[in-house]
Amino acid sequence: MLVHFWGVRGSLPTPLTPQQVQSKIMAVVQRITEEDIKSIDSRAKFVSNLPSWIFGTTGGNTACVEVKSEGNEFVFDAGSGLRVMGKSGNLPQDKHYNLFLSHFHWDHIQGLPYFEPAYDPKARFDIFSPFDKTREYLADQMKVPFSPVTLDSFTKNLVFHKMIPGEPVNIGKNQITTCKMSHPGDSYSYAICEGDKKFVYATDIELRAKDFKKTPESEAVFKDADCIVIDSQYTVDEAYRKKNWGHSAFCYAVDFAINWNIKKIFLFHHEPAYDDKKINSILNAARWYAQYIHHSDISISIAKEDLEITI
């Protein structure tokens, strides 16, 4: 499976501010020595050794994760990152998309009206969610006067499927399962399997004790996964202050992954108020927590826009 992150922010799109760009420049300037600028090689070495939070950015688009597997195209959520995906040069040649929606808060559907392939009459979309009124919800955000175009402007090849937790869906050689999580208005996590490989998309979840219990539905999604993309929007202090807001602290995400014997974590749905330096500090704290509290060597990374991984 090939996994590509197109949008990783939570709540709303968050572009870099001029102040954040200036802070990055100042951080670079403060690190430069005379030796660093002596030659082309020294300059290249200096740049390559800059911390990742300075040389690059986590990204500001909202949730959208693409998975290519066994010749099939899977997209998880349609946040503003979907618009960027639509402009990429690596779209499926058969113009067929399988779109899975975790829920219908705007940060997870706001990219759909701007996904250019959706207006191609030859494109085909199979759209999956466990909700009853998926088409109605998507059409509502594209009504006049809120949108210049309506859902009727899309390709006519839209097929909507209602998923049932505990009942897998087979697409080609892939199997997709879902289960309900704790979030205002509900949100659903998904697992996609390719042979003995399992990838889990688990955004917008407020982890509670019940989520750690071994039930058939939760085991089908989480148990022994190779990789999980998981909501880790808050610090512990924020999670305490924002109880019932529907998101988790990074340490709870680590607890959860270790509980389900998951091999790799990508922290996801980043708080819009956090800059790259803050998100990097959360990554370091999560790694410390896994090592010194759980004594675990679980792999922990930050989900970043345009990052591509193979499972």
Side-chain angles (χ1 to χ4, degrees), residues 142 168 192 250 309:
M142 296 179 67
I192 177 170
F250 67 86
I309 62 171

Side-chain angles (χ1 to χ4, degrees), residues 111-126:
L112 190 59
Y114 304 96
F115 186 50
E116 292 180 6
Y119 298 92
D120 183 342
K122 295 182 180 179
R124 295 180 297 123
F125 287 79
D126 284 286

Side-chain angles (χ1 to χ4, degrees), residues 160-215:
F160 292 85
H161 308 267
K162 182 180 178 181
M163 291 194 68
I164 306 298
E167 296 184 11
V169 169
N170 294 302
I171 299 175
K173 296 181 180 179
N174 300 105
Q175 185 175 86
I176 301 90
T177 52
T178 188
C179 64
K180 186 165 70 172
M181 309 299 290
S182 299
H183 189 72
D186 294 335
S187 181
Y188 289 80
S189 295
Y190 292 97
I192 177 170
C193 295
E194 177 191 282
D196 61 351
K197 299 295 184 181
K198 181 193 286 188
F199 170 79
V200 176
Y201 179 77
T203 189
D204 289 62
I205 56 177
E206 186 167 357
L207 291 169
R208 297 173 178 171
K210 67 179 182 63
D211 298 310
F212 291 75
K213 294 180 179 178
K214 306 297 193 294
T215 68

Side-chain angles (χ1 to χ4, degrees), residues 216-232:
E217 287 183 8
S218 57
E219 284 192 353
V221 173
F222 299 112
K223 185 179 179 182
D224 299 331
D226 294 277
C227 176
I228 186 169
V229 172
I230 187 167
D231 184 330
S232 50

Side-chain angles (χ1 to χ4, degrees), residues 2-70:
L2 193 67
V3 180
H4 195 113
F5 294 95
W6 294 105
V8 298
R9 284 282 174 176
S11 303
L12 76 167
T14 312
L16 281 172
T17 66
Q19 292 78 18
Q20 289 171 346
V21 174
Q22 291 168 13
S23 295
K24 287 176 180 286
I25 294 172
M26 287 299 298
V28 172
V29 170
Q30 290 168 1
R31 286 167 166 76
I32 295 176
T33 68
E34 186 176 346
E35 290 295 315
D36 293 324
I37 57 175
K38 284 177 59 177
S39 67
I40 293 176
D41 288 343
S42 65
R43 290 193 291 271
K45 182 179 179 181
F46 170 75
V47 170
S48 66
N49 287 330
L50 285 171
S52 60
W53 66 267
I54 297 177
F55 189 63
T57 183
T58 304
N61 281 298
T62 57
C64 180
V65 177
E66 177 189 23
V67 177
K68 293 180 182 293
S69 176
E70 296 286 352

Side-chain angles (χ1 to χ4, degrees), residues 231-299:
D231 184 330
S232 50
Q233 183 162 336
Y234 296 144
T235 62
V236 176
D237 177 63
E238 279 188 310
Y240 178 78
R241 289 188 287 107
K242 296 180 178 180
K243 187 176 180 180
N244 297 323
W245 282 37
H247 302 286
S248 295
F250 67 86
C251 56
Y252 303 160
V254 173
D255 294 339
F256 183 77
I258 291 174
N259 174 75
W260 286 104
N261 192 36
I262 296 173
K263 302 175 183 65
K264 183 176 293 187
I265 305 173
F266 281 88
L267 306 180
F268 186 74
H269 205 268
H270 307 304
E271 165 62 40
Y274 291 169
D275 61 13
D276 291 309
K277 186 175 183 180
K278 175 70 172 180
I279 293 172
N280 187 70
S281 73
I282 287 175
L283 171 62
N284 291 333
R287 288 173 172 170
W288 178 92
Y289 181 80
Q291 183 176 357
Y292 291 101
I293 302 301
H294 283 288
H295 306 290
S296 171
D297 60 356
I298 187 170
S299 172

